[in-house]
Every structure is written in C-alpha cells, then in structure tokens.
Amino acid sequence: MGPKRQIYDKTYYMLELRKRSQELVDEVGGLNQEINAITQDNQLYLSLEKRYDSLVKTVRALEGDLADHNLATDKQRTDTRPEEVHHMYMIMKQQNEQQRNDVDEIFLEKRNHEEDIARIDQEIAAIARVAEDRLNELHPDQRREYEELREENGRLGQDVYEAREELDQVNGRLNQLEARLRSDMLRTRYQQLSSIRRELEERLGNLEQEVQQCNMSVPEQRDMLLSRVKSDNGDIVAAEKSNSDMKLDNERLRAQIREVTQDAQEKKDEGSDQQKYEILFTKDKEMTQFIDSFGESKAEEEKKLKEKQETIVNLLQSISKALALPQDVTPESHLRDMEDELDFKSKQLHNSETTQNRLEAELSKREGELEKIESLDVKISLELDQVEAKMRQYEHEIATKYDLVDEMRASGELRLQELAAQKASLESRNQALRQQVGFLKLRHDSKRQQLTDDTAAANLDAQEQKMRQFGQTLYTLQSFITQKNSESDFRGEMGACLDMAGTINKILQEQMFRPAPYA
C-alpha cells in the first residue's frame, strides 16, 4: 500500500466545515419552522381564550336571565301572589342597597385613611424641612459639631446594642453555669459538709463552755446556778401570768360564743341556713372541747414546772452538801461527784429548755387559735347579716309573688295563648318556606338539565379540553426547543475547529518554507 494522503492546504477542512454548517442551517430552519408553528398555536390559544371569556360572560348572563325566567314561571305555575313576589323583590333590593352602602362606607373610610396618611407625610416632610433649614442656619462649626454628635449618637447606639447583646450572652452563660453548679454533686456535698461543720463548731463551743464551767470554783458555780434559778423563776412567773391571761381571754370568748349561738338559734331558718348553723355549731363544739381541755393542759404544764422547781431545789441542796464536805475528801472524788452532778444538771437543763420551747410553741398555737376565734366571730356576724337579708328577700317575694297565685296563673295562660298563636304563624311560614325550597330545587334541577342539553356548554367543555391539550403540547414543544438549543450549540465546536485549522496551516507553512535537507 502506498503512503496515506498528505494535506498541504485547508480545502479539506473547509469542505467539512461547509457540510457541518449546512447541517446546522437545516436544523436551524427546522427549529424555526417549529417555533413558527408554536407561535401560531399560541396565537390560536390566545384567540380561543378570549372567545372562551366572552362565551363564559354570555353564558352567565343567559343563566341569570334563565333563572329570572324560571323563577317567574315557577311563581306563575304555583299561583304565587304578586304581593309575595314584590316582597321578595323589596328584600333583595334592601340587601343590594345595604351592600352598596357598605361598599361606599369602606371606600370613604379608605379615602379618609389615605388623606390622613398624606397629611402625616406632609407634616413629616415639613418637620424635616424645618429641621434642615435650622441646620442650614447654623454656623459651619456648629453644623460640623452637630454631624459629629449625630455620628457619635449612631455609634453609641450601635455600642449599646452590641453591649446589650453581649449582656444577654453573659446572662445566658451565667444561667448555664448556675445550672451546672446546681446540678454539681460535689458542690451539694460541700454545702452539706459546711452545714455539718457549723453544727459541730457550735457543739464544740458548747462543750468548751461546759468544760470552762467545770473548771470553775465552787462559789463561781454556785453564783451561776443561782442566776439560772432566778432566770428560770422569772420565766415561770411570766408563763403563769400568760396562762392566766389566756384563761381570762378564753372565758371571754366562751361568753361571746354563747351569745352568738343563742342569737343564731333564735334566727336560724330552714334549708341552706340550717346547714350553715350546723357548721357554726360544729366549730363551736370544737372550740368548747379545746377550752375544756385547756385546764388539763395547764395542769400538766404546772406539774412540769413544779418538777423543775423541785429539781432546782435538789441542785441547791447538792451544792450545800458539796460545800459542807469534810476536809478528808480527795479532789479527784469531789471532781467525779461534780462531773456527775454536772451531767445531771445538763440533762435537767436540756429538759427545761425543751419544755420552754414546747410551752412557747403551745402559746403561739393558742394565740393563732384565739385569732381564729376572733375571725370566726366576725364571720358569724356577716353570715347573720346575710341570713337576715335573705329572710327579708324571701318575705318580699312571698308578699309580691307567691300570694298572687291567681294573677300569675292568668298571666301564664295569656302567655300560653300568645305562644300558641305565634306557633301557628311560624308553622304556616314553615310550610311556605318548604314550598319555596321545593321550587328552588326544581329550578336547580332544570338548570342542570338545561346545561347538560345546551350545545354551547358542550362546546365550552370541548374547547376546555382542547385548551388543556394545547397547553400540554406547548409545554412539550418548549421543552423540546430548549433541549435542541442546548444540543445544537455549534459555536464552541466551530471555534475549536477553526483554531485547529489555523494551527495545522501554520505547521504546513513552516514545513513549506523550511529548506530541504541535503542528500
């Protein structure tokens, strides 16, 4: 085989480019024809749409005329009186007038709002002009200072906004950290141990104080015990005085309760008032039981106070005995005896403090109960006033209503007659409305049948079907055109081919002008 063909010019490439260009021109011509066909279809679609709108308007007008004609025919066929037709006409006219007036009011309100908005805009513009004029009247230095202050104001506003955002972030972080601290078990344990440590420190202080008391001499201990005895006696006297005052107050309250109970017994009534009085009697019974048991409680407290006094006397006797000890008693035995006495005294002191606290709690409880008794007295007075008001109301109703049974019966019979007449009129109106509903139903069915038989409606349905088909065809063609445009974009290929042809020609020219090598 001989050597392959060698190309030394651009004729071959130009021929190929002409073929490709001719193919592209043919394809572009086909696309233009399709575009023209689509344009014609669009124009046809627009014309059909306009015709559809005009036909819809015509059909609606004809439907209104048909409805009026059917209504008049139904009225004529059912022997409806002209007065009823005129009445319906007046009702529809009033409704139309009302709707027209509402629309006019809405339009006027809208215009008023627009005028107000325009006036406010003018005022804002006037204020802005005045402010601008005043700024123009200022000295340049003052104007520059004003601009600087305004810039500083904007900058400070931005700084404040940023500071607020930072503050919100810090608060959020603080809340998160506080939540973490609250949920931290080690911190909770630390707080518990801190409270235990404070209690132990208090106990240690108390023990150190007791040790100091034990290291005191006998006269100092005697003086301390005497001072405690005096303070305890003062507390006992105060408690006895408080008990006597409470007893007198309880007697006074018991007398008041008896008086209120007697008044309530005299004025009590049947029904719901009886239940209220039973509640009051129950409360009175509870208070009476408390007052009756107060003597026993007082006796018990007096017994405990007496025991406390006897304990103090025994302590004083023990001190006297310790002072009267012979000289041959060793300090160690005496110290042990004193320690035993100290333990006993500590226990008795603890019991005394417990008793005092319990007495104070009992006293506060009795004071609270006393306040409840006083408030109960006020409530009883208010309830008695309400009972008297209801009694007067009941007496008035008996005098004005229940004693006039005949008159009430006559008025009731008259009311029944009026209601019976109203019922008859409503039943007649109901019958007429049912007939009208039947006529309207017949008219609706006749309209539906007429639409089914009407050729214009059938043509409209057919046109709608065609319009939907045209829409689908238009969408398909648009998609096809877009696809073909993307596929037939030859500009890039043409540029690449021209570049390659130029490169090849340049290479051939260089080879032609290059001198041939010698054999």
Side-chain angles (χ1 to χ4, degrees):
M1 294 177 65
K4 295 182 179 179
R5 179 180 178 181
Q6 295 182 355
I7 300 172
Y8 295 96
D9 56 2
K10 57 182 181 180
T11 306
Y12 174 75
Y13 298 102
M14 292 299 293
L15 182 63
E16 292 293 329
L17 287 175
R18 288 193 184 96
K19 291 180 181 180
R20 299 292 177 87
S21 299
Q22 186 63 34
E23 292 176 358
L24 291 174
V25 169
D26 295 338
E27 187 68 25
V28 170
L31 292 175
N32 289 328
Q33 291 178 0
E34 292 179 358
I35 291 170
N36 293 327
I38 292 170
T39 304
Q40 292 176 2
D41 292 336
N42 289 331
Q43 293 176 357
L44 179 61
Y45 173 76
L46 293 175
S47 63
L48 290 174
E49 187 176 6
K50 292 179 180 178
R51 186 179 177 186
Y52 170 75
D53 293 335
S54 63
L55 290 174
V56 167
K57 293 179 181 178
T58 305
V59 169
R60 288 177 181 174
L62 293 174
E63 285 178 353
D65 297 337
L66 181 61
D68 296 336
H69 178 71
N70 290 332
L71 180 61
T73 305
D74 292 338
K75 295 296 181 181
Q76 183 179 4
R77 186 171 57 250
T78 55
D79 296 332
T80 305
R81 291 180 298 177
E83 291 81 2
E84 294 181 1
V85 177
H86 186 266
H87 180 67
M88 292 177 64
Y89 164 72
M90 294 302 296
I91 291 173
M92 295 175 68
K93 185 177 180 181
Q94 290 177 1
Q95 291 178 356
N96 293 331
E97 290 293 334
Q98 182 67 30
Q99 291 179 359
R100 188 181 296 108
N101 294 328
D102 294 337
V103 172
D104 293 338
E105 290 178 359
I106 292 170
F107 177 74
L108 292 174
E109 186 177 359
K110 178 184 176 182
R111 189 170 62 184
N112 293 329
H113 286 305
E114 290 176 352
E115 292 177 355
D116 294 336
I117 292 169
R119 186 176 65 256
I120 292 170
D121 291 336
Q122 291 177 1
E123 291 177 358
I124 293 171
I127 293 170
R129 287 195 299 271
V130 171
E132 188 67 27
D133 294 337
R134 292 185 64 182
L135 289 175
N136 293 327
E137 293 174 358
L138 293 175
H139 192 268
D141 296 335
Q142 294 178 351
R143 181 66 179 269
R144 184 172 58 257
E145 184 179 1
Y146 170 76
E147 295 294 336
E148 292 175 356
L149 290 174
R150 187 171 65 180
E151 292 178 356
E152 185 178 2
N153 185 19
R155 187 171 60 256
L156 290 175
Q158 184 67 24
D159 294 339
V160 169
Y161 178 73
E162 294 176 356
R164 286 179 179 175
E165 288 185 349
E166 186 177 1
L167 179 61
D168 294 336
Q169 294 177 359
V170 171
N171 289 330
R173 189 176 178 184
L174 180 62
N175 293 328
Q176 293 178 358
L177 294 175
E178 288 179 352
R180 289 179 59 186
L181 288 175
R182 284 194 296 270
S183 61
D184 192 0
M185 299 300 295
L186 296 176
R187 181 179 176 84
T188 307
R189 182 62 178 168
Y190 168 74
Q191 293 177 354
Q192 294 176 357
L193 293 175
S194 299
S195 62
I196 294 171
R197 179 184 176 185
R198 286 193 294 270
E199 293 177 358
L200 293 175
E201 287 178 352
E202 291 178 358
R203 290 180 62 185
L204 179 61
N206 295 328
L207 292 174
E208 289 177 354
Q209 186 177 2
E210 291 178 0
V211 170
Q212 291 178 1
Q213 292 177 2
C214 293
N215 293 328
M216 290 181 182
S217 62
V218 175
E220 292 176 351
Q221 291 183 2
R222 183 178 60 186
D223 295 337
M224 185 180 65
L225 290 174
L226 289 174
S227 62
R228 287 186 180 180
V229 169
K230 289 180 181 179
S231 63
D232 292 337
N233 290 329
D235 294 336
I236 291 168
V237 172
E240 289 179 351
K241 185 178 179 181
S242 177
N243 288 330
S244 61
D245 294 336
M246 289 178 66
K247 187 176 181 181
L248 294 174
D249 293 336
N250 287 330
E251 292 295 333
R252 180 175 56 81
L253 291 172
R254 184 183 296 175
Q256 291 180 358
I257 289 172
R258 283 198 297 268
E259 292 177 358
V260 172
T261 304
Q262 290 176 0
D263 295 336
Q265 187 67 28
E266 292 176 357
K267 297 180 179 180
K268 84 179 170 179
D269 197 2
E270 299 294 332
S272 60
D273 298 332
Q274 181 67 26
Q275 185 178 3
K276 292 182 180 179
Y277 284 120
E278 288 179 358
I279 295 171
L280 292 175
F281 287 142
T282 305
K283 292 181 180 179
D284 180 33
K285 186 176 180 181
E286 292 176 357
M287 294 304 299
T288 305
Q289 290 177 358
F290 165 71
I291 293 170
D292 292 337
S293 62
F294 180 76
E296 296 177 358
S297 301
K298 181 181 178 183
E300 184 180 356
E301 296 298 330
E302 289 177 351
K303 183 179 179 181
K304 292 179 181 179
L305 289 174
K306 188 176 181 181
E307 291 176 355
K308 188 175 180 181
Q309 291 175 357
E310 290 177 355
T311 304
I312 293 170
V313 171
N314 292 327
L315 288 173
L316 292 174
Q317 289 177 358
S318 300
I319 293 170
S320 300
K321 290 178 181 179
L323 292 174
L325 287 174
Q327 299 295 327
D328 55 354
V329 178
T330 60
E332 289 79 5
S333 62
H334 182 63
L335 179 61
R336 285 194 297 271
D337 294 337
M338 291 296 294
E339 288 178 353
D340 295 338
E341 291 291 335
L342 180 60
D343 293 337
F344 177 74
K345 292 175 183 178
S346 299
K347 292 180 182 179
Q348 294 295 326
L349 180 61
H350 181 69
N351 294 331
S352 301
E353 290 176 353
T354 305
T355 305
Q356 183 180 0
N357 293 329
R358 190 158 55 82
L359 286 172
E360 290 177 354
E362 190 71 22
L363 179 61
S364 61
K365 182 179 179 182
R366 296 295 181 267
E367 289 177 352
E369 292 175 352
L370 181 60
E371 291 178 357
K372 289 181 180 179
I373 291 171
E374 292 177 354
S375 62
L376 181 62
D377 187 11
V378 176
K379 290 181 180 178
I380 290 171
S381 301
L382 293 174
E383 290 178 356
L384 289 174
D385 295 336
Q386 293 176 1
V387 169
E388 291 178 356
K390 286 186 177 180
M391 288 176 64
R392 290 192 294 270
Q393 181 182 357
Y394 293 155
E395 291 175 354
H396 178 69
E397 289 179 355
I398 289 170
T400 57
K401 291 183 179 179
Y402 299 107
D403 290 340
L404 305 175
V405 178
D406 296 333
E407 295 179 359
M408 292 179 69
R409 184 178 290 111
S411 62
E413 291 177 354
L414 182 61
R415 180 61 177 168
L416 287 174
Q417 292 176 1
E418 293 176 354
L419 291 174
Q422 189 176 0
K423 179 182 178 182
S425 62
L426 290 174
E427 287 178 352
S428 61
R429 290 180 63 184
N430 187 14
Q431 187 66 26
L433 289 173
R434 287 182 179 178
Q435 291 179 359
Q436 290 181 2
V437 169
F439 298 151
L440 292 174
K441 187 176 181 181
L442 291 173
R443 186 179 64 183
H444 177 69
D445 295 337
S446 63
K447 287 181 180 179
R448 182 179 294 176
Q449 186 64 32
Q450 288 174 2
L451 284 174
T452 304
D453 299 335
D454 193 4
T455 57
N459 293 329
L460 286 175
D461 292 335
Q463 293 296 331
E464 288 178 355
Q465 293 290 336
K466 288 183 180 180
M467 288 169 65
R468 282 194 287 270
Q469 292 177 0
F470 287 150
Q472 294 177 359
T473 306
L474 177 62
Y475 177 75
T476 305
L477 291 175
Q478 287 177 353
S479 301
F480 180 75
I481 290 168
T482 305
Q483 182 181 0
K484 290 299 181 181
N485 286 330
S486 62
E487 291 177 357
S488 60
D489 189 6
F490 61 92
R491 288 187 294 272
E493 297 293 334
M494 184 176 69
C497 291
L498 291 175
D499 293 336
M500 290 175 66
T503 304
I504 293 170
N505 289 327
K506 189 174 181 181
I507 292 170
L508 292 174
Q509 289 176 3
E510 289 177 356
Q511 289 180 357
M512 289 175 64
F513 290 108
R514 184 183 300 170
Y518 292 100

